[in-house]
Amino acid sequence: MSTDGTRPATSQPWLHQHGRQIQEFGTVRQFPLALSRDARLYSCQRLNRILADTQILYALYKKHHWLVRGHTFYQLHLLLDKHAGEQLALVDTIAERVQTLGGVAVGDPRHVAEITAVPRPPDGVEEVPAMLSRLLEAHEIILTEAHDAAARTADLGDDGTNDLIVSDVIRTGELQAWFLAEHLVDTPLVVADG
């Protein structure tokens, strides 16, 4: 450091830096949002649970996209990747809402694993119906949490969080669950009964 307290100009990166934590997870900062601290804290807690589950759902979609096999490989490979992209967009939207409320979004995968309610899949490859069923179960976990969180955040006057949960999380989840469930209907591929 120079005598005036500034660092000298250099092209060398300042590597291996460590700093103090400036906001703890589970806390909210005060922002002029016309929402009480308690409402914002509650919304952040609920959003972080949905965020953790959504991050796991995104990862499951990518895993199954890579590992899907069989007659419907091409269609499911593309569908699962499309759904993964939509879940990734939700991850960013939910995390930014937490930050907007003054909270700290869960981001580290190890922390996500501690919070999520979505069960861990086997490390290997499952049969396609099991993969799709696993994705449907994850959607139902998220949708159950989202419906309850939407109602409770609305009661607290947090219309922004309610809108995000209903318009983005629930509607996306319901549509994706429908697309997956239709792949589990056992109908003839070529010949109809009759």
Side-chain angles (χ1 to χ4, degrees):
M1 290 258 181
S2 66
T3 56
D4 67 357
T6 62
R7 293 183 178 177
T10 176
S11 65
Q12 174 60 44
W14 295 88
L15 304 174
H16 309 291
Q17 296 188 51
H18 299 280
R20 60 187 173 84
Q21 183 173 263
I22 60 172
Q23 183 180 356
E24 292 184 25
F25 183 80
T27 65
V28 290
R29 296 177 291 152
Q30 184 60 43
F31 284 152
L33 302 177
L35 288 170
S36 72
R37 178 192 171 281
D38 289 345
R40 291 181 302 107
L41 184 61
Y42 182 82
S43 291
C44 287
Q45 291 167 347
R46 296 304 297 267
L47 286 168
N48 268 320
R49 287 202 300 259
I50 294 169
L51 177 57
D53 292 341
T54 302
Q55 289 181 65
I56 295 298
L57 180 57
Y58 162 74
L60 281 175
Y61 267 116
K62 288 306 282 190
K63 177 184 181 185
H64 296 331
H65 160 75
W66 297 321
L67 302 180
V68 70
R69 303 189 176 160
H71 297 291
T72 58
F73 166 79
Y74 182 73
Q75 297 88 341
L76 284 175
H77 183 73
L78 295 179
L79 179 67
L80 298 177
D81 200 39
K82 177 183 180 291
H83 284 193
E86 292 166 355
Q87 289 299 318
L88 186 57
L90 279 177
V91 165
D92 195 53
T93 300
I94 298 165
E96 288 179 353
R97 180 64 187 171
V98 172
Q99 296 303 126
T100 298
L101 293 170
V104 177
V106 59
D108 186 290
R110 294 161 294 193
H111 193 187
V112 168
E114 293 170 2
I115 295 173
T116 188
V118 177
R120 182 178 175 164
D123 292 334
V125 180
E126 293 180 286
E127 295 175 315
V128 171
M131 288 181 184
L132 298 180
S133 292
R134 186 172 300 284
L135 290 167
L136 285 168
E137 290 166 9
H139 273 294
E140 190 166 30
I141 288 167
I142 293 169
L143 288 167
T144 300
E145 176 74 17
H147 282 291
D148 184 66
R152 293 177 186 263
T153 56
D155 289 344
L156 292 171
D158 187 352
D159 298 324
T161 297
N162 171 272
D163 179 59
L164 180 150
I165 293 171
V166 172
S167 298
D168 297 315
V169 176
I170 292 174
R171 290 196 179 135
T172 299
E174 289 174 342
L175 188 64
Q176 289 184 350
W178 171 47
F179 272 70
L180 292 175
E182 292 298 346
H183 281 275
L184 293 174
V185 175
D186 187 18
T187 60
L189 189 58
V190 178
V191 180
D193 289 339

